[in-house]
Amino acid sequence: MTPPSKIRNIAIIAHVDHGKTTLVDTLLRASGNFRENQAIAERAMDSMDLEREKGITIKAKNTSVHWNDHIINIVDTPGHADFGGEVERVMKMVDGVMLVVDAYEGPQAQTRFVLKKAMQQGIKPIILINKMDRPHIEPAKVHDKVLELLMELEATEEQFNAPFIYGSARAGWVTDKPDGEQKDMTFILEQIVKHIPEPKAELEGSFEMLVSNIDWDNFVGRVSIGKVTRGTVKLGDRVFLLGKTPEEKPQGFKVTKVFQYTTLTTSDSVEGGAGDIVGISGIENVDIGQTIAGAADAPALPFVAIDPPTIVMQFAVNDGPLAGREGEHVTSRKIRDRLDREQKMNVTLSFKDTDTAGIFDVSARGAMQIAVLVEQMRREGFEVLVSRPMVITKRIDDVVCEPFETLYLDVPDDYLGPVMKSISERKGRIEDMNAHNGRTTVQAYIPTRGLIGFEFELMNLTSGHGIHSHLFREYAPHAGHMQTRSSGTLVSTEAGEATSYALDTIQIRGKLFVTAGDQVYDGMIIGENPRTDDLPVNPTRAKQLTNFRAAGGDKGIQLTPPMKFSLERAIEYIAPDELVECTPKNLRLRKRTLDSSQRQREKKKMEAEIEAAG
């Protein structure tokens, strides 16, 4: 068994796309833990299909590197703010962090967020300025920016004097100075052993561990992952899961397996020792933040406070005419069980029942986080309706308050005007602006509502050259009405198969979301109307055949290719009275109320209410 003095626990934190997962790849290779001829996938730690497709880390995952006589446990964390809860909870498992910063972009908004969490825990950082092989890099400037950031976050003297390393994780070299001699990646492992303290753990005494992560194993069920802070644990031990509150009684369990995470595999270790990060199975109803101890009367360990969710979306049973054709799981019971499972695995996500049967309110950090959950559910065979994200408002001193965020933008000077106009329409307020090398960085204070759908608009306004990131700041008084979508929709009035004959006349009115041969139904949104109102159309109309009109007469019809939405884009695009129907094979946009005459009645009723109030 390895003593705590030979163990190092470190989390790798950074902004999206600054090279965390690539760095873990090169550290695993450098440690000599692989065979010479072993095939290793690129970004090996991105184990989920969605992580590979999107190129981002979604779940925090841990591995360990055996180097010389040391064990270095490495936790790869997400860089996107929506998955910030993953970072917050792993801070209890580690004793140091490696902050990876892009040598060109410097520290970004999410960098500030994750580093702040580490600083609050008193964790010591090592800073790696990555991507030194890129053109136009400014390592000296980035070095100063990181020091400024540490000062802003009120770092202690020890944290402020953190060692700096320069290098390229992709090219596999590092150095201690921007123009220093290039060394291999074992230099980073040396620095981790030298600068990161050994874990605070007691070898003697009864077993104690805080659950910081939960995994699932097909053979043994739930696996509780955490750092052993005292004692040891082995197969067959009797342990106690302490209650979430002092009143809750501890429950006794038998350990069915102890897991150790080495390179890209998990091994069934005989014993988990003090200071090491291990997984324990045999405890079914465990939640993140609970303490597992060897004695029933042991005190519970403190858990890191998690920032509250700011966004809520409705999940509902698919009640459309095409329901049940593609998915296996379509009932509210199945959806509830799936959400319950997700809630146990993810501390920042929660759901509750609404007054209407089959509709659930799901709260999370951001639309991206919920979109990832919906995408996973689609792939598992679920059919579900999801609404547009709404912010969670609070009453503070009898004033309705909503969440506000700090928005950081980096846009080319040529596109600055339209971007500023968009920010002001979304109730944003500019706080700081700096021009540099043909680009302008903007810092704005904006309601979270204003950020829904902003990413896509920024892409269009800047031809894909705009970079943005945002960070939750505070709850402040409600900013008032906001119009984020200026267009209306083309709504189908009939059910059936869309025909090219009908779509040819409809495409003159706006952009189409469907093409000939697609199934449509009454109340389904089949296109965008440039005007603000909804236009009822019949996409199923067929050509009347007579002696003069031959069936093959519409061969020359040229339909414009339809607009195809990604799930995130669809969720942000819809209006409050619309839903996205998510099935394993299709994404459809539809009205909440499918019946057109019923919608007309509701519209008139609402207009009458507004008139009466006015």
Side-chain angles (χ1 to χ4, degrees):
M1 225 174 66
T2 313
S5 60
K6 297 288 183 187
I7 296 173
R8 298 290 184 273
N9 299 323
I10 188 165
I12 297 189
I13 59 175
H15 185 77
V16 179
D17 206 29
H18 278 198
K20 297 179 300 300
T21 309
T22 307
L23 173 65
V24 177
D25 275 9
T26 49
L27 288 178
L28 290 174
R29 285 190 175 91
S31 64
N33 284 233
F34 293 123
R35 295 191 319 272
E36 282 293 313
N37 62 346
Q38 190 169 343
I40 312 153
E42 195 182 332
R43 301 201 321 276
M45 289 292 279
D46 282 351
S47 52
M48 290 164 61
D49 290 344
L50 269 176
E51 291 182 315
R52 291 189 168 282
E53 286 165 30
K54 290 177 180 291
I56 61 168
T57 304
I58 293 169
K59 270 189 78 64
K61 290 174 286 294
N62 51 295
T63 186
S64 72
V65 168
H66 290 252
W67 183 68
N68 293 347
D69 55 347
H70 283 81
I71 291 179
I72 301 172
N73 289 310
I74 301 171
V75 184
D76 185 17
T77 64
H80 200 285
D82 284 14
F83 309 107
E86 298 281 330
V87 184
E88 288 166 271
R89 66 174 187 229
V90 301
M91 287 306 157
K92 280 288 182 189
M93 283 203 290
V94 297
D95 309 287
V97 293
M98 178 167 286
L99 176 69
V100 183
V101 182
D102 188 304
Y104 171 70
E105 291 181 7
Q108 301 282 310
Q110 268 91 322
T111 317
R112 177 186 302 266
F113 171 79
V114 289
L115 188 60
K116 182 180 169 190
K117 295 290 171 192
M119 294 287 137
Q120 286 168 349
Q121 297 291 317
I123 290 172
K124 189 177 176 184
I126 291 178
I127 289 103
L128 169 66
I129 295 180
N130 194 22
K131 303 194 182 183
M132 288 286 288
D133 53 347
R134 285 180 60 183
H136 312 302
I137 55 167
E138 298 175 291
K141 197 170 177 185
V142 170
H143 175 278
D144 293 346
K145 279 187 177 175
V146 172
L147 291 179
E148 280 171 28
L149 179 60
L150 290 169
M151 281 175 72
E152 275 178 48
L153 298 176
E154 297 171 359
T156 62
E157 193 172 335
E158 192 189 9
Q159 288 172 331
F160 187 74
N161 293 327
F164 275 78
I165 303 171
Y166 303 82
S168 165
R170 194 178 62 176
W173 60 266
V174 284
T175 168
D176 52 357
K177 296 193 289 289
D179 50 359
E181 185 193 339
Q182 293 183 8
K183 304 171 185 175
D184 67 13
M185 298 305 275
T186 52
F187 179 70
I188 290 188
L189 299 174
E190 285 170 23
Q191 295 300 309
I192 290 171
V193 169
K194 184 178 167 186
H195 293 287
I196 300 299
E198 63 182 73
K200 298 183 186 77
E202 300 169 34
L203 278 168
E204 303 302 320
S206 71
F207 171 68
E208 183 183 72
M209 179 179 109
L210 178 75
V211 180
S212 298
N213 213 341
I214 284 178
D215 202 0
W216 179 265
D217 184 275
N218 290 335
F219 299 104
V220 293
R222 288 167 84 75
V223 179
S224 315
I225 301 171
K227 179 173 77 175
V228 180
T229 46
R230 190 173 62 214
T232 57
V233 63
K234 59 182 184 296
L235 188 76
D237 278 1
R238 184 163 174 78
V239 294
F240 294 88
L241 177 67
L242 305 185
K244 293 175 191 170
T245 58
E247 296 77 47
E248 213 177 307
K249 281 188 175 173
Q251 294 171 278
F253 291 95
K254 186 180 172 188
V255 176
T256 56
K257 241 179 197 177
V258 177
F259 294 92
Q260 267 189 329
Y261 298 85
T262 50
T263 50
L264 302 179
T265 56
T266 54
S267 58
D268 304 353
S269 67
V270 183
E271 198 168 12
D276 208 356
I277 293 175
V278 297
I280 298 173
S281 67
I283 307 167
E284 272 311 298
N285 51 353
V286 61
D287 279 340
I288 289 163
Q290 286 188 270
T291 303
I292 301 171
D297 56 353
L301 293 166
F303 186 54
V304 62
I306 299 284
D307 285 354
T310 53
I311 291 261
V312 63
M313 269 165 70
Q314 285 190 336
F315 279 43
V317 174
N318 187 5
D319 59 359
L322 304 178
R325 291 193 186 183
E326 295 167 15
E328 299 166 41
H329 313 302
V330 294
T331 61
S332 63
R333 184 177 64 83
K334 290 269 187 162
I335 294 169
R336 169 201 283 278
D337 290 349
R338 179 67 181 82
L339 291 174
D340 190 45
R341 194 165 89 234
E342 189 66 28
Q343 184 174 258
K344 285 182 175 168
M345 306 275 279
N346 192 336
V347 279
T348 57
L349 196 131
S350 62
F351 84 98
K352 62 175 192 285
D353 292 289
T354 60
D355 300 338
T356 316
I359 298 180
F360 309 98
D361 278 346
V362 181
S363 307
R365 281 280 178 81
M368 171 88 154
Q369 192 185 3
I370 301 186
V372 164
L373 168 61
V374 176
E375 186 59 49
Q376 284 173 315
M377 288 173 70
R378 277 181 72 195
R379 293 176 185 205
E380 290 163 20
F382 281 85
E383 283 193 18
V384 66
L385 297 177
V386 290
S387 73
R388 179 182 169 82
M390 296 164 284
V391 295
I392 298 170
T393 55
K394 292 182 179 176
R395 284 197 87 84
I396 302 171
D397 300 330
D398 258 2
V399 177
V400 176
C401 294
E402 65 173 332
F404 277 75
E405 311 214 8
T406 307
L407 172 67
Y408 301 89
L409 284 170
D410 184 349
V411 293
D413 294 347
D414 303 352
Y415 305 111
L416 191 59
V419 172
M420 300 284 275
K421 182 170 178 277
S422 174
I423 291 171
S424 89
E425 282 170 356
R426 291 166 178 270
K427 307 282 187 197
R429 196 174 72 232
I430 306 297
E431 292 185 322
D432 190 25
M433 276 178 77
N434 288 301
H436 175 66
N437 287 353
R439 292 181 76 91
T440 302
T441 53
V442 179
Q443 182 180 322
Y445 179 64
I446 190 168
T448 303
R449 272 186 308 150
L451 291 174
I452 298 169
F454 178 71
E455 185 174 0
F456 191 79
E457 191 173 339
L458 180 71
M459 283 299 202
N460 283 343
L461 292 174
T462 63
S463 305
H465 292 287
I467 302 168
H468 91 301
S469 52
H470 52 91
L471 202 53
F472 171 75
R473 193 193 290 189
E474 62 180 0
Y475 268 85
H478 198 275
H481 177 70
M482 189 186 299
Q483 180 80 30
T484 52
R485 190 176 92 188
S486 55
S487 58
T489 54
L490 304 174
V491 185
S492 171
T493 55
E494 300 294 328
E497 196 176 287
T499 65
S500 44
Y501 175 72
L503 293 177
D504 187 37
T505 53
I506 295 169
Q507 71 179 1
I508 303 162
R509 303 295 183 95
K511 293 175 188 165
L512 292 177
F513 302 159
V514 297
T515 190
D518 287 352
Q519 291 293 322
V520 296
Y521 53 81
D522 183 12
M524 181 173 154
I525 298 166
I526 64 143
E528 179 179 281
N529 182 13
R531 295 180 179 169
T532 51
D533 53 343
D534 296 335
L535 190 67
V537 291
N538 178 6
T540 63
R541 197 158 47 92
K543 190 175 188 180
Q544 296 299 313
L545 300 181
T546 67
N547 291 344
F548 298 104
R549 285 179 159 174
D554 54 359
K555 286 276 194 294
I557 290 175
Q558 292 289 314
L559 290 177
T560 313
M563 262 176 80
K564 289 290 177 197
F565 287 98
S566 66
L567 182 59
E568 287 114 81
R569 176 73 188 115
I571 288 168
E572 292 178 339
Y573 177 82
I574 55 173
D577 67 331
E578 295 163 2
L579 297 167
V580 181
E581 180 184 327
C582 306
T583 70
K585 292 180 185 168
N586 286 294
L587 290 176
R588 300 183 186 95
L589 309 188
R590 52 162 278 187
K591 290 288 182 185
R592 271 181 193 268
T593 310
L594 292 177
D595 185 11
S596 49
S597 52
Q598 173 85 10
R599 282 202 306 277
Q600 284 297 327
R601 284 198 293 275
E602 284 175 7
K603 190 179 173 187
K604 281 179 183 168
K605 188 180 168 188
M606 204 165 92
E607 283 171 355
E609 281 173 7
I610 291 168
E611 213 170 291

